[in-house]
Amino acid sequence: MLGTTWEGQQFLFAMNGQTGRLVGDLPIDKKKRALIGLGIFAAFFAACYAAVNFGGFLAENEEFIQWGFIILVPLLVMLLVCAVLTAQMRSAIEATEANRYLDNDSIEITHSHDSFDYTTTERIHHESKKD
């Protein structure tokens, strides 16, 4: 189990010592996420701009529809990719019930049996005999 404080927030996660796989809430670098988002936006903006102005896509529509397409599509793709990348940093979902941890496809239960032990204690008061 590892714990760290980053940018004023505490993060707790576990690391497998053999594989190095991390599980838990990992810190996210907001600057790096913003740069990735801007890069995705720029790439899709260029593709949409080229499709509209050089490829003739939406040529028969009004200019505001063309610009709406040029701006909205890259913006939606950027938000979706950033949301997916952020969600991948949360690699564990806290379960409130034990059966949520069970992967039903990973095992085959052929027999189920519960047994309980019951123990009682009985106290008996013995009076001592006085001679």
Side-chain angles (χ1 to χ4, degrees):
M1 292 297 291
L2 303 167
T4 186
T5 302
W6 188 63
E7 292 186 359
Q9 292 181 320
Q10 291 185 350
F11 295 93
L12 180 65
F13 51 96
M15 181 175 61
N16 184 327
Q18 293 178 338
T19 64
R21 182 169 185 258
L22 296 173
V23 177
D25 294 332
L26 303 175
I28 298 170
D29 187 354
K30 293 177 180 140
K31 292 177 187 176
K32 189 180 284 188
R33 183 176 55 185
L35 287 174
I36 291 171
L38 287 174
I40 291 169
F41 180 82
F44 275 87
F45 181 85
C48 290
Y49 185 82
V52 169
N53 290 314
F54 304 120
F57 186 71
L58 297 175
E60 66 279 353
N61 292 318
E62 297 289 328
E63 189 174 338
F64 73 92
I65 293 176
Q66 293 174 350
W67 278 104
F69 173 79
I70 291 171
I71 293 174
L72 287 178
V73 168
L75 183 64
L76 291 175
V77 170
M78 176 196 71
L79 292 174
L80 180 66
V81 169
C82 286
V84 168
L85 291 176
T86 301
Q88 287 179 345
M89 294 300 286
R90 176 177 232 114
S91 58
I93 299 172
E94 185 177 333
T96 57
E97 300 169 352
N99 64 353
R100 290 189 56 200
Y101 289 108
L102 178 64
D103 182 7
N104 291 328
D105 296 331
S106 66
I107 62 170
E108 182 178 333
I109 298 175
T110 58
H111 180 71
S112 177
H113 176 74
D114 290 332
S115 64
F116 299 95
D117 292 331
Y118 180 72
T119 305
T120 61
T121 303
E122 184 177 333
R123 295 181 182 222
I124 299 173
H125 181 67
H126 295 283
E127 292 191 28
S128 61
K129 294 182 181 180
K130 294 185 181 181
D131 295 326

